[in-house]
Amino acid sequence: MKPTTLEEAVAITKKFTSRPSNEELLKLYALYKQATEGDNETERPGGFDFKAAAKYNAWLNLKGLSKTDAESQYLELVEKLSEKHI
């Protein structure tokens, strides 16, 4: 499935019948946040919340990537993942 908008891509991810890897999920999260909000300007999560820290770091690593480029990468990733998870 080839999504053409962010909304279509998000809808496709909800149809996945198997769970992407943690690495793939983090990439999806980070690209989505970068595409919708831009650079991560939020506060770093507390010490023992490892899931929140991983998400924070994944998004932070995309600093400087334009919203348009992040959206394009997100659409490409969803297309690729849909081939093995739908």
Side-chain angles (χ1 to χ4, degrees), residues 33 37 39-45 56 59-60:
K33 294 295 273 186
E37 297 184 31
D39 288 344
N40 184 350
E41 303 292 340
T42 63
E43 202 170 299
R44 184 174 291 280
Y56 176 90
W59 182 16
L60 191 64

Side-chain angles (χ1 to χ4, degrees), residues 3-82:
T4 56
T5 66
L6 206 55
E7 293 76 22
E8 280 180 25
V10 169
I12 289 170
T13 65
K14 293 179 188 215
K15 294 178 185 174
F16 287 178
T17 56
S18 60
R19 187 178 186 276
S21 71
N22 286 341
E23 185 179 312
E24 291 166 333
L25 290 170
L26 279 174
K27 187 76 172 167
L28 282 171
Y29 171 82
L31 286 169
Y32 180 82
K33 294 295 273 186
Q34 190 71 19
T36 57
E37 297 184 31
D39 288 344
N40 184 350
E41 303 292 340
T42 63
E43 202 170 299
R44 184 174 291 280
F48 292 105
D49 191 346
F50 299 115
K51 183 176 178 183
K55 290 167 81 172
Y56 176 90
N57 290 331
W59 182 16
L60 191 64
N61 287 335
L62 297 180
K63 187 172 186 146
L65 182 66
S66 74
K67 287 182 173 185
T68 304
D69 288 344
E71 182 172 343
S72 295
Q73 289 181 33
Y74 183 83
L75 296 179
E76 287 173 22
L77 181 57
V78 169
E79 180 181 6
K80 186 179 113 184
L81 292 176
S82 71

